[in-house]
């Protein structure tokens, strides 16, 4: 069966893997990529090419329109690429690292970012979709605790799972 369009849009660099545990797939990916002469770069590497790649992906595959975007963030690198595609939109960045360190990264890559930085929320809510235990889970718990104060439509961005 052919892949969905958003996957086909990535080009010919798709490597199919069997569904498995993250650690196993990471190891398989690393071996396949290094076998082709490439390098495995973990998500969040603070480099302009990573921010540009994330921006390029979200330019080709835009997020749905919403009044507010909830984006979990660790380093701020993926957030920076996404913010470049959401100028003048209301964005809430749920931080798993100190807010000042995330702001420093975002300010390096985004001119006058329009984003509200908040700390993640440990909470006990179970997440009703595949989610990373730190990033998305903390952001989901923050959203559950605060959704009544957010008017309009919300787009929750799931990057880690």
């Amino acid at each position: 069966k052919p892949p969905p369009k958003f996957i086909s849009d990535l080009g010919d660099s798709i490597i199919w893997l069997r569904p498995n545990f993250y650690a196993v797939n990471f190891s398989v990916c690393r071996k396949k990529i290094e076998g082709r002469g490439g390098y495995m770069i973990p998500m969040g590497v603070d480099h302009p090419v990573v921010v540009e790649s994330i921006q390029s992906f979200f330019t080709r595959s835009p997020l749905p329109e919403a009044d507010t975007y909830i984006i979990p963030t660790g380093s701020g690198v993926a957030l920076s690429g996404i913010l470049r595609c959401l100028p003048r939109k209301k964005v809430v960045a749920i931080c798993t690292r100190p807010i000042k360190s995330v702001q420093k990264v975002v300010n390096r890559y985004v001119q006058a970012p329009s984003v509200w930085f908040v700390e993640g929320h440990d909470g006990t809510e179970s997440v009703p979709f595949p989610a990373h235990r730190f990033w998305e889970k903390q952001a989901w718990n923050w959203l559950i605790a605060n959704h009544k104060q957010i008017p309009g439509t919300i787009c929750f961005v799931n990057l880690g799972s």
Side-chain angles (χ1 to χ4, degrees):
K1 154 176 158 176
K5 182 177 179 346
F6 75 93
I7 292 177
S8 300
D9 288 347
L10 296 174
D12 63 356
S13 60
I14 298 171
I15 299 173
W16 295 103
L17 300 174
R18 292 181 304 141
N20 211 328
F21 291 108
Y22 176 81
V24 173
N25 277 342
F26 187 89
S27 177
V28 170
C29 282
R30 173 176 274 160
K31 287 178 184 171
K32 287 183 181 273
I33 289 168
E34 289 175 355
R36 293 176 164 194
Y39 297 95
M40 184 74 157
I41 301 173
M43 188 167 176
V45 170
D46 188 355
H47 193 277
V49 74
V50 177
V51 174
E52 291 161 12
S53 294
I54 292 166
Q55 177 184 3
S56 176
F57 175 82
F58 282 99
T59 297
R60 289 190 319 270
S61 303
L63 293 168
E65 279 297 316
D67 295 312
T68 302
Y69 295 85
I70 307 296
I71 305 176
T73 186
S75 66
V77 171
L79 174 64
S80 296
I82 296 169
L83 285 173
R84 288 178 169 186
C85 297
L86 297 173
R88 297 174 299 284
K89 298 288 186 174
K90 182 177 177 188
V91 174
V92 181
I94 314 298
C95 303
T96 58
R97 290 178 51 187
I99 290 173
K100 286 188 178 192
S101 72
V102 177
Q103 287 173 320
K104 184 177 177 182
V105 170
V106 170
N107 288 335
R108 188 166 39 250
Y109 296 112
V110 183
Q111 297 296 325
S114 175
V115 61
W116 179 33
F117 296 93
V118 299
E119 290 183 10
H121 190 284
D122 285 329
T124 58
E125 294 291 326
S126 62
V127 183
F129 50 83
H132 188 277
R133 62 189 170 120
F134 297 123
W135 299 289
E136 285 80 19
K137 186 173 191 306
Q138 286 189 21
W140 181 256
N141 279 284
W142 181 91
L143 179 59
I144 293 300
N146 294 281
H147 72 278
K148 291 180 181 173
Q149 289 81 25
I150 303 172
T153 57
I154 298 170
C155 176
F156 184 93
V157 181
N158 184 351
L159 293 173
S161 297

